[in-house]
Amino acid sequence: DDVPPATLEAEVPIASVLERLSVLQRELEDYDAEAEETLTALRAELAGSAIFRELEPVVSLVAAYELESAAEQLRQITLQLEEKFVER
């Protein structure tokens, strides 16, 4: 039996989410204007999931152009997800 990849409750593969969070992280750290669009698309994909709610502080920080703080908040969220879903 093939074991399905770990998913969030919204049935989004965690590997895909972590990859997108990594892109967003780089955009925030680079002060890239694309970060807002990436975040909006990611939230649409994750609507209804726990991570959607966890991203709210990041959304607020990006809206206030606090990109360094948003990047740090996102780093913490990503670490928590990796600890919870990624086997080492």
Side-chain angles (χ1 to χ4, degrees):
D1 282 341
D2 287 335
V3 176
T7 60
L8 299 168
E9 59 267 43
E11 296 303 315
V12 178
I14 188 65
S16 171
V17 172
L18 289 172
E19 185 177 320
R20 306 258 318 267
L21 291 176
S22 176
V23 168
L24 178 58
Q25 185 77 44
R26 281 193 305 276
E27 290 172 349
L28 291 171
E29 289 171 356
D30 293 343
Y31 297 95
D32 188 331
E34 293 289 316
E36 197 165 359
E37 289 178 29
T38 301
L39 184 55
T40 299
L42 187 58
R43 289 181 70 234
E45 185 179 318
L46 297 172
S49 70
I51 189 169
F52 177 88
R53 292 182 294 280
E54 288 185 45
L55 286 173
E56 286 304 311
V58 177
V59 172
S60 298
L61 290 165
V62 169
Y65 299 101
E66 297 285 341
L67 301 188
E68 285 181 38
S69 297
E72 180 55 38
Q73 184 78 34
L74 184 63
R75 191 174 298 112
Q76 297 305 316
I77 292 168
T78 301
L79 287 172
Q80 290 171 5
L81 285 172
E82 287 174 344
E83 287 175 10
K84 188 172 182 179
F85 290 103
V86 178
E87 294 180 24
R88 302 196 185 282

Coordinates of all heavy atoms in Angstrom, one line a residue:
D1 N 0.8 -1.2 0.0 CA 0.0 0.0 0.0 C 0.9 1.3 0.0 O 1.8 1.3 0.8 CB -0.9 0.0 1.2 CG -2.1 -0.9 1.1 OD1 -2.4 -1.2 0.0 OD2 -2.7 -1.2 2.1
D2 N 0.5 2.2 -0.9 CA 1.2 3.5 -0.9 C 0.6 4.3 0.2 O -0.6 4.4 0.4 CB 1.0 4.2 -2.2 CG 1.8 3.5 -3.3 OD1 2.8 2.9 -3.0 OD2 1.4 3.7 -4.5
V3 N 1.5 4.9 1.0 CA 1.0 5.8 2.1 C 0.8 7.2 1.4 O 1.7 7.7 0.8 CB 2.0 5.9 3.2 CG1 1.5 6.9 4.3 CG2 2.2 4.5 3.8
P4 N -0.4 7.8 1.6 CA -0.6 9.1 0.9 C 0.2 10.1 1.6 O 0.6 10.0 2.8 CB -2.1 9.4 1.2 CG -2.5 8.5 2.3 CD -1.6 7.3 2.3
P5 N 0.6 11.2 0.9 CA 1.4 12.2 1.5 C 0.6 12.9 2.6 O -0.6 13.0 2.6 CB 1.7 13.2 0.4 CG 0.7 12.9 -0.7 CD 0.3 11.4 -0.5
A6 N 1.3 13.5 3.6 CA 0.6 14.2 4.7 C -0.1 15.3 4.1 O 0.3 16.0 3.2 CB 1.7 14.7 5.7
T7 N -1.4 15.5 4.6 CA -2.2 16.6 4.1 C -2.7 17.4 5.3 O -2.9 16.9 6.4 CB -3.4 16.1 3.3 OG1 -4.2 15.3 4.1 CG2 -2.9 15.4 2.0
L8 N -3.1 18.6 5.0 CA -3.8 19.5 6.0 C -5.2 19.1 5.9 O -5.6 18.4 5.0 CB -3.6 20.9 5.7 CG -2.1 21.4 5.7 CD1 -2.0 22.8 5.1 CD2 -1.6 21.4 7.1
E9 N -6.1 19.6 6.8 CA -7.5 19.2 6.8 C -8.2 19.6 5.5 O -9.2 19.1 5.2 CB -8.2 19.6 8.0 CG -8.2 21.1 8.3 CD -7.1 21.5 9.2 OE1 -6.0 21.0 9.0 OE2 -7.3 22.3 10.1
A10 N -7.6 20.6 4.8 CA -8.2 21.1 3.6 C -7.8 20.2 2.4 O -8.0 20.5 1.3 CB -7.8 22.5 3.3
E11 N -7.1 19.1 2.7 CA -6.7 18.1 1.7 C -5.6 18.7 0.8 O -5.6 18.4 -0.4 CB -7.9 17.5 0.9 CG -8.8 16.7 1.8 CD -8.1 15.5 2.5 OE1 -7.3 14.8 1.9 OE2 -8.3 15.4 3.7
V12 N -4.9 19.6 1.3 CA -3.8 20.2 0.5 C -2.5 19.5 0.9 O -2.2 19.5 2.1 CB -3.7 21.7 0.8 CG1 -2.5 22.3 0.0 CG2 -5.0 22.4 0.4
P13 N -1.7 18.9 0.0 CA -0.5 18.2 0.4 C 0.4 19.2 1.1 O 0.7 20.3 0.6 CB 0.1 17.8 -0.9 CG -1.0 17.8 -1.9 CD -2.0 18.9 -1.4
I14 N 0.9 18.8 2.3 CA 1.8 19.6 3.1 C 3.1 20.0 2.3 O 3.5 21.1 2.5 CB 2.1 19.0 4.4 CG1 2.8 19.9 5.4 CG2 2.9 17.7 4.2 CD1 2.0 21.1 5.8
A15 N 3.6 19.1 1.5 CA 4.8 19.5 0.7 C 4.5 20.7 -0.2 O 5.4 21.6 -0.3 CB 5.3 18.3 -0.1
S16 N 3.4 20.7 -0.8 CA 3.0 21.9 -1.6 C 2.9 23.1 -0.8 O 3.3 24.2 -1.2 CB 1.7 21.6 -2.3 OG 1.2 22.7 -3.0
V17 N 2.3 23.0 0.3 CA 2.1 24.2 1.2 C 3.5 24.7 1.7 O 3.7 25.9 1.6 CB 1.2 23.9 2.4 CG1 1.2 25.0 3.4 CG2 -0.2 23.5 2.0
L18 N 4.3 23.8 2.1 CA 5.7 24.2 2.5 C 6.5 24.9 1.4 O 7.2 25.8 1.6 CB 6.4 23.0 3.1 CG 5.9 22.5 4.5 CD1 6.6 21.2 4.9 CD2 6.1 23.6 5.6
E19 N 6.3 24.4 0.2 CA 7.0 24.9 -0.9 C 6.5 26.4 -1.2 O 7.3 27.3 -1.4 CB 6.8 24.1 -2.2 CG 7.5 24.5 -3.4 CD 7.3 23.6 -4.6 OE1 7.3 22.3 -4.3 OE2 7.2 24.1 -5.7
R20 N 5.2 26.5 -1.1 CA 4.6 27.9 -1.4 C 5.0 28.8 -0.2 O 5.2 30.0 -0.5 CB 3.1 27.8 -1.5 CG 2.6 26.8 -2.5 CD 2.1 27.3 -3.8 NE 1.3 28.5 -3.9 CZ 0.0 28.5 -3.8 NH1 -0.7 27.4 -3.8 NH2 -0.7 29.7 -3.9
L21 N 5.0 28.3 1.0 CA 5.5 29.2 2.1 C 6.9 29.6 2.0 O 7.3 30.7 2.3 CB 5.3 28.4 3.5 CG 3.8 28.2 3.9 CD1 3.8 27.4 5.2 CD2 3.1 29.5 4.1
S22 N 7.7 28.7 1.4 CA 9.1 29.0 1.2 C 9.3 30.2 0.1 O 10.1 31.1 0.3 CB 9.9 27.8 0.7 OG 11.2 28.1 0.4
V23 N 8.4 30.1 -0.9 CA 8.4 31.2 -1.9 C 8.0 32.5 -1.3 O 8.7 33.5 -1.5 CB 7.5 30.8 -3.1 CG1 7.2 32.0 -4.0 CG2 8.0 29.6 -3.9
L24 N 7.0 32.4 -0.5 CA 6.5 33.6 0.2 C 7.6 34.2 1.1 O 7.8 35.4 1.2 CB 5.2 33.3 1.0 CG 4.6 34.4 1.8 CD1 4.3 35.6 0.9 CD2 3.3 34.0 2.5
Q25 N 8.2 33.3 1.8 CA 9.3 33.7 2.7 C 10.4 34.5 2.0 O 10.8 35.6 2.4 CB 9.9 32.5 3.4 CG 11.0 32.8 4.4 CD 10.4 33.2 5.7 OE1 9.4 32.6 6.2 NE2 10.9 34.2 6.3
R26 N 10.8 34.0 0.8 CA 11.8 34.7 0.0 C 11.3 36.0 -0.4 O 12.0 37.0 -0.4 CB 12.2 33.8 -1.2 CG 13.2 32.7 -0.8 CD 13.8 32.1 -2.1 NE 12.9 31.6 -3.0 CZ 12.3 30.4 -3.0 NH1 12.6 29.6 -2.0 NH2 11.4 30.1 -3.9
E27 N 10.1 36.1 -0.9 CA 9.5 37.3 -1.3 C 9.5 38.4 -0.2 O 9.8 39.5 -0.4 CB 8.1 37.1 -1.9 CG 8.1 36.3 -3.2 CD 6.7 35.9 -3.7 OE1 5.8 36.1 -3.0 OE2 6.7 35.5 -4.9
L28 N 9.1 37.9 1.0 CA 9.0 38.9 2.1 C 10.4 39.4 2.4 O 10.6 40.6 2.7 CB 8.4 38.2 3.3 CG 6.9 37.9 3.2 CD1 6.4 37.1 4.4 CD2 6.1 39.2 3.1
E29 N 11.4 38.5 2.5 CA 12.7 38.9 2.8 C 13.3 39.8 1.8 O 14.2 40.6 2.1 CB 13.6 37.6 3.0 CG 13.2 36.8 4.3 CD 13.9 35.5 4.4 OE1 14.6 35.1 3.4 OE2 13.7 34.8 5.4
D30 N 12.9 39.6 0.5 CA 13.4 40.5 -0.6 C 12.6 41.7 -0.8 O 12.8 42.5 -1.8 CB 13.4 39.6 -1.9 CG 14.5 38.5 -1.8 OD1 15.4 38.5 -1.0 OD2 14.3 37.6 -2.7
Y31 N 11.6 41.9 0.1 CA 10.7 43.1 -0.1 C 10.0 43.1 -1.5 O 9.9 44.1 -2.1 CB 11.4 44.4 0.2 CG 11.9 44.6 1.6 CD1 13.2 44.2 1.9 CD2 11.1 45.0 2.6 CE1 13.7 44.3 3.2 CE2 11.5 45.1 3.9 CZ 12.9 44.8 4.2 OH 13.3 44.9 5.5
D32 N 9.7 41.9 -1.9 CA 9.1 41.7 -3.3 C 7.6 42.0 -3.2 O 6.9 41.4 -2.4 CB 9.3 40.3 -3.7 CG 9.0 40.0 -5.2 OD1 8.0 40.7 -5.7 OD2 9.6 39.1 -5.8
A33 N 7.1 42.8 -4.1 CA 5.7 43.2 -4.2 C 4.8 42.0 -4.4 O 3.6 42.0 -4.1 CB 5.5 44.3 -5.2
E34 N 5.4 40.9 -5.0 CA 4.6 39.7 -5.3 C 4.1 39.0 -4.0 O 3.2 38.2 -4.1 CB 5.5 38.7 -6.1 CG 5.8 39.2 -7.5 CD 4.6 39.2 -8.4 OE1 3.8 38.2 -8.4 OE2 4.4 40.2 -9.2
A35 N 4.8 39.3 -2.9 CA 4.4 38.6 -1.7 C 2.9 38.7 -1.3 O 2.3 37.8 -0.9 CB 5.2 39.2 -0.5
E36 N 2.4 39.9 -1.6 CA 0.9 40.1 -1.3 C 0.1 39.1 -2.2 O -0.9 38.5 -1.7 CB 0.5 41.5 -1.5 CG -0.8 41.9 -0.8 CD -1.0 43.4 -0.6 OE1 -0.1 44.1 -1.1 OE2 -2.1 43.7 -0.1
E37 N 0.4 39.1 -3.4 CA -0.3 38.2 -4.3 C -0.1 36.7 -4.0 O -1.1 35.9 -4.0 CB 0.1 38.4 -5.8 CG -0.3 39.7 -6.4 CD 0.1 39.9 -7.8 OE1 0.3 38.9 -8.5 OE2 0.3 41.1 -8.1
T38 N 1.1 36.3 -3.6 CA 1.4 35.0 -3.2 C 0.6 34.6 -2.0 O 0.0 33.5 -1.9 CB 2.9 34.8 -3.0 OG1 3.6 35.1 -4.1 CG2 3.2 33.3 -2.5
L39 N 0.6 35.5 -1.0 CA -0.2 35.3 0.2 C -1.7 35.2 0.0 O -2.3 34.3 0.5 CB 0.1 36.4 1.2 CG -0.5 36.3 2.6 CD1 -0.1 35.0 3.3 CD2 0.0 37.5 3.4
T40 N -2.2 36.0 -0.9 CA -3.6 36.0 -1.2 C -4.0 34.6 -1.9 O -5.0 34.0 -1.5 CB -4.0 37.1 -2.2 OG1 -3.7 38.4 -1.5 CG2 -5.5 37.1 -2.6
A41 N -3.2 34.2 -2.8 CA -3.4 32.9 -3.5 C -3.3 31.7 -2.5 O -4.1 30.8 -2.6 CB -2.4 32.7 -4.7
L42 N -2.3 31.8 -1.7 CA -2.2 30.7 -0.7 C -3.3 30.6 0.3 O -3.8 29.6 0.6 CB -0.8 30.9 0.1 CG -0.4 29.9 1.0 CD1 -0.2 28.5 0.3 CD2 0.9 30.3 1.7
R43 N -3.8 31.8 0.7 CA -4.9 31.8 1.6 C -6.2 31.3 1.0 O -7.0 30.6 1.6 CB -5.2 33.2 2.2 CG -4.1 33.6 3.1 CD -4.3 35.0 3.7 NE -5.4 35.0 4.6 CZ -6.5 35.8 4.5 NH1 -6.6 36.7 3.5 NH2 -7.5 35.7 5.4
A44 N -6.4 31.6 -0.3 CA -7.5 31.1 -1.1 C -7.5 29.5 -1.1 O -8.5 28.9 -0.9 CB -7.6 31.7 -2.5
E45 N -6.3 29.0 -1.3 CA -6.1 27.6 -1.4 C -6.3 26.9 -0.1 O -6.8 25.8 0.0 CB -4.7 27.3 -1.9 CG -4.4 25.8 -2.2 CD -3.0 25.6 -2.7 OE1 -2.5 26.4 -3.5 OE2 -2.4 24.7 -2.2
L46 N -6.0 27.6 1.0 CA -6.1 27.0 2.3 C -7.3 27.4 3.1 O -7.4 27.1 4.3 CB -4.8 27.5 3.1 CG -3.5 27.0 2.6 CD1 -2.4 27.6 3.3 CD2 -3.4 25.5 2.6
A47 N -8.3 28.0 2.5 CA -9.5 28.5 3.2 C -10.1 27.3 4.0 O -10.3 26.2 3.4 CB -10.5 29.1 2.2
G48 N -10.4 27.6 5.2 CA -11.1 26.6 6.0 C -10.1 25.7 6.8 O -10.5 24.9 7.7
S49 N -8.8 25.9 6.6 CA -7.9 25.0 7.3 C -7.3 25.8 8.5 O -7.4 27.0 8.6 CB -6.7 24.6 6.4 OG -5.9 25.7 6.0
A50 N -6.6 25.0 9.4 CA -6.0 25.7 10.6 C -4.9 26.6 10.1 O -4.8 27.7 10.8 CB -5.5 24.6 11.5
I51 N -4.2 26.3 9.1 CA -3.1 27.2 8.7 C -3.6 28.5 8.2 O -3.0 29.6 8.3 CB -2.1 26.5 7.7 CG1 -0.9 27.4 7.5 CG2 -2.8 26.2 6.4 CD1 0.2 26.8 6.8
F52 N -4.8 28.5 7.6 CA -5.5 29.7 7.1 C -5.5 30.7 8.3 O -5.2 31.9 8.2 CB -6.9 29.4 6.6 CG -7.6 30.6 6.1 CD1 -7.5 31.1 4.8 CD2 -8.5 31.3 7.0 CE1 -8.2 32.2 4.4 CE2 -9.2 32.4 6.6 CZ -9.0 32.9 5.3
R53 N -6.0 30.2 9.4 CA -6.1 31.1 10.6 C -4.8 31.5 11.2 O -4.6 32.6 11.6 CB -6.9 30.4 11.7 CG -8.4 30.2 11.3 CD -9.2 29.5 12.4 NE -8.9 28.1 12.7 CZ -9.2 27.1 11.9 NH1 -10.0 27.3 10.8 NH2 -8.9 25.9 12.2
E54 N -3.8 30.6 11.1 CA -2.4 30.9 11.6 C -1.8 32.0 10.7 O -0.9 32.7 11.2 CB -1.6 29.7 11.6 CG -1.9 28.7 12.7 CD -1.0 27.5 12.8 OE1 0.3 27.8 12.7 OE2 -1.4 26.4 12.9
L55 N -2.2 32.1 9.5 CA -1.6 33.1 8.6 C -2.2 34.5 8.8 O -1.6 35.5 8.3 CB -1.8 32.7 7.1 CG -0.9 31.6 6.6 CD1 -1.3 31.1 5.2 CD2 0.5 31.9 6.6
E56 N -3.2 34.6 9.6 CA -3.8 36.0 9.8 C -2.8 37.0 10.3 O -2.9 38.1 9.7 CB -5.0 35.9 10.7 CG -6.3 35.2 10.1 CD -6.7 35.9 8.9 OE1 -6.9 37.2 8.9 OE2 -6.9 35.2 7.8
P57 N -2.0 36.7 11.2 CA -1.0 37.8 11.7 C -0.1 38.2 10.5 O 0.3 39.3 10.4 CB -0.2 37.1 12.8 CG -1.1 36.0 13.3 CD -1.9 35.5 12.1
V58 N 0.3 37.2 9.7 CA 1.2 37.5 8.5 C 0.4 38.4 7.6 O 1.0 39.4 7.1 CB 1.6 36.2 7.8 CG1 2.4 36.5 6.6 CG2 2.4 35.3 8.8
V59 N -0.9 38.2 7.3 CA -1.7 39.0 6.5 C -1.7 40.4 7.0 O -1.5 41.4 6.2 CB -3.1 38.4 6.3 CG1 -4.0 39.4 5.6 CG2 -3.1 37.1 5.7
S60 N -1.9 40.6 8.3 CA -2.0 41.9 8.9 C -0.7 42.6 8.8 O -0.6 43.8 8.5 CB -2.4 41.8 10.4 OG -3.7 41.2 10.5
L61 N 0.4 41.9 9.0 CA 1.7 42.6 8.9 C 2.1 43.0 7.5 O 2.6 44.1 7.2 CB 2.8 41.6 9.4 CG 2.8 41.4 11.0 CD1 3.6 40.2 11.4 CD2 3.3 42.6 11.7
V62 N 1.7 42.1 6.5 CA 2.0 42.5 5.1 C 1.1 43.7 4.7 O 1.6 44.6 4.1 CB 1.7 41.3 4.2 CG1 1.7 41.7 2.7 CG2 2.7 40.2 4.4
A63 N -0.1 43.7 5.2 CA -1.0 44.9 4.9 C -0.4 46.2 5.4 O -0.6 47.2 4.8 CB -2.4 44.6 5.4
A64 N 0.3 46.1 6.5 CA 0.9 47.2 7.2 C 2.3 47.5 6.7 O 3.1 48.3 7.2 CB 0.9 47.1 8.7
Y65 N 2.8 46.7 5.6 CA 4.1 46.8 5.1 C 5.2 46.5 6.1 O 6.3 47.0 6.0 CB 4.3 48.2 4.4 CG 3.4 48.4 3.3 CD1 2.2 49.2 3.5 CD2 3.5 47.8 2.1 CE1 1.3 49.4 2.4 CE2 2.6 48.0 1.0 CZ 1.5 48.8 1.2 OH 0.6 49.0 0.2
E66 N 4.9 45.7 7.1 CA 5.9 45.2 8.1 C 6.4 43.9 7.6 O 6.2 42.8 8.2 CB 5.2 45.0 9.4 CG 4.6 46.3 10.0 CD 5.7 47.2 10.6 OE1 6.9 46.7 10.8 OE2 5.5 48.4 10.7
L67 N 7.2 43.9 6.5 CA 7.6 42.7 5.8 C 8.6 41.9 6.6 O 8.6 40.7 6.6 CB 8.1 43.0 4.4 CG 7.1 43.7 3.5 CD1 7.6 43.7 2.0 CD2 5.7 43.0 3.5
E68 N 9.5 42.6 7.3 CA 10.4 41.8 8.2 C 9.7 41.1 9.2 O 10.0 39.9 9.5 CB 11.5 42.8 8.8 CG 12.5 43.3 7.8 CD 13.5 44.2 8.4 OE1 13.9 43.9 9.6 OE2 13.9 45.1 7.8
S69 N 8.8 41.7 9.9 CA 8.0 41.0 11.0 C 7.2 39.9 10.4 O 7.0 38.9 11.0 CB 7.1 42.0 11.7 OG 7.9 43.0 12.3
A70 N 6.6 40.2 9.2 CA 5.8 39.1 8.5 C 6.7 37.9 8.2 O 6.3 36.8 8.4 CB 5.2 39.7 7.2
A71 N 7.9 38.2 7.7 CA 8.8 37.1 7.4 C 9.1 36.3 8.7 O 9.2 35.0 8.6 CB 10.1 37.6 6.8
E72 N 9.4 36.9 9.8 CA 9.7 36.2 11.0 C 8.5 35.4 11.5 O 8.6 34.3 11.9 CB 10.1 37.2 12.1 CG 10.4 36.6 13.4 CD 11.5 35.5 13.3 OE1 12.5 35.7 12.5 OE2 11.4 34.5 14.0
Q73 N 7.3 36.0 11.4 CA 6.1 35.2 11.8 C 5.9 34.0 10.9 O 5.6 32.9 11.4 CB 4.9 36.2 11.7 CG 3.6 35.6 12.1 CD 3.4 35.6 13.6 OE1 3.9 36.5 14.3 NE2 2.8 34.6 14.2
L74 N 6.1 34.2 9.6 CA 6.0 33.1 8.7 C 7.0 32.0 9.0 O 6.7 30.8 8.9 CB 6.1 33.6 7.2 CG 5.9 32.6 6.2 CD1 4.5 32.0 6.2 CD2 6.2 33.2 4.8
R75 N 8.2 32.4 9.3 CA 9.2 31.4 9.6 C 8.8 30.5 10.8 O 9.0 29.3 10.8 CB 10.5 32.2 10.0 CG 11.8 31.3 10.1 CD 13.0 32.1 10.3 NE 13.3 33.0 9.2 CZ 13.2 34.3 9.2 NH1 13.0 34.9 10.3 NH2 13.5 35.0 8.1
Q76 N 8.2 31.2 11.8 CA 7.7 30.4 13.0 C 6.6 29.4 12.6 O 6.6 28.3 13.0 CB 7.2 31.3 14.1 CG 8.3 32.2 14.7 CD 9.5 31.4 15.2 OE1 9.3 30.4 15.9 NE2 10.7 31.9 14.9
I77 N 5.7 29.9 11.7 CA 4.6 29.0 11.3 C 5.1 27.8 10.5 O 4.7 26.7 10.7 CB 3.6 29.8 10.4 CG1 2.8 30.8 11.3 CG2 2.6 28.9 9.7 CD1 2.1 31.9 10.5
T78 N 6.1 28.1 9.6 CA 6.7 27.1 8.8 C 7.4 26.0 9.6 O 7.3 24.8 9.4 CB 7.7 27.7 7.8 OG1 7.0 28.6 6.9 CG2 8.3 26.6 6.9
L79 N 8.1 26.5 10.6 CA 8.8 25.6 11.5 C 7.8 24.7 12.3 O 8.1 23.5 12.4 CB 9.7 26.3 12.6 CG 11.0 27.0 12.0 CD1 11.6 27.9 13.1 CD2 11.9 25.9 11.5
Q80 N 6.7 25.2 12.7 CA 5.7 24.4 13.4 C 5.1 23.4 12.5 O 4.9 22.2 12.9 CB 4.6 25.4 13.9 CG 5.0 26.2 15.1 CD 4.0 27.3 15.5 OE1 2.9 27.3 14.9 NE2 4.3 28.1 16.4
L81 N 4.9 23.8 11.2 CA 4.3 22.8 10.3 C 5.3 21.7 10.0 O 4.9 20.5 9.9 CB 3.9 23.5 9.0 CG 2.7 24.4 9.0 CD1 2.5 25.2 7.7 CD2 1.5 23.5 9.2
E82 N 6.6 22.1 9.8 CA 7.6 21.1 9.5 C 7.7 20.1 10.7 O 7.8 18.9 10.5 CB 8.9 21.7 9.3 CG 9.0 22.4 7.9 CD 10.3 23.2 7.7 OE1 11.0 23.5 8.7 OE2 10.5 23.5 6.5
E83 N 7.7 20.6 11.9 CA 7.7 19.7 13.1 C 6.6 18.8 13.2 O 6.7 17.6 13.5 CB 7.8 20.5 14.4 CG 9.1 21.2 14.6 CD 9.1 22.1 15.8 OE1 8.2 22.1 16.6 OE2 10.1 22.9 16.0
K84 N 5.4 19.3 12.8 CA 4.2 18.5 12.9 C 4.0 17.5 11.7 O 3.5 16.4 12.0 CB 3.0 19.5 12.9 CG 1.6 18.8 13.1 CD 0.6 19.9 13.3 CE -0.8 19.3 13.6 NZ -1.8 20.3 13.8
F85 N 4.4 17.8 10.5 CA 4.1 17.0 9.4 C 5.3 16.3 8.7 O 5.1 15.4 7.9 CB 3.4 17.8 8.3 CG 2.0 18.2 8.7 CD1 1.7 19.5 9.2 CD2 0.9 17.3 8.7 CE1 0.4 19.9 9.5 CE2 -0.3 17.6 9.0 CZ -0.6 18.9 9.5
V86 N 6.5 16.9 8.8 CA 7.6 16.4 8.0 C 8.4 15.4 8.8 O 8.9 15.7 9.9 CB 8.5 17.5 7.6 CG1 9.7 17.0 6.8 CG2 7.7 18.5 6.7
E87 N 8.6 14.2 8.3 CA 9.4 13.2 8.9 C 10.8 13.5 8.7 O 11.2 13.8 7.6 CB 9.0 11.8 8.4 CG 7.6 11.4 8.7 CD 7.3 10.0 8.2 OE1 8.2 9.2 8.0 OE2 6.1 9.7 8.0
R88 N 11.6 13.2 9.7 CA 13.1 13.5 9.6 C 13.8 12.2 9.5 O 13.5 11.2 9.9 CB 13.6 14.3 10.7 CG 12.8 15.6 10.8 CD 13.5 16.6 11.7 NE 12.7 17.8 11.9 CZ 12.6 18.8 11.0 NH1 13.2 18.7 9.8 NH2 11.9 19.9 11.2

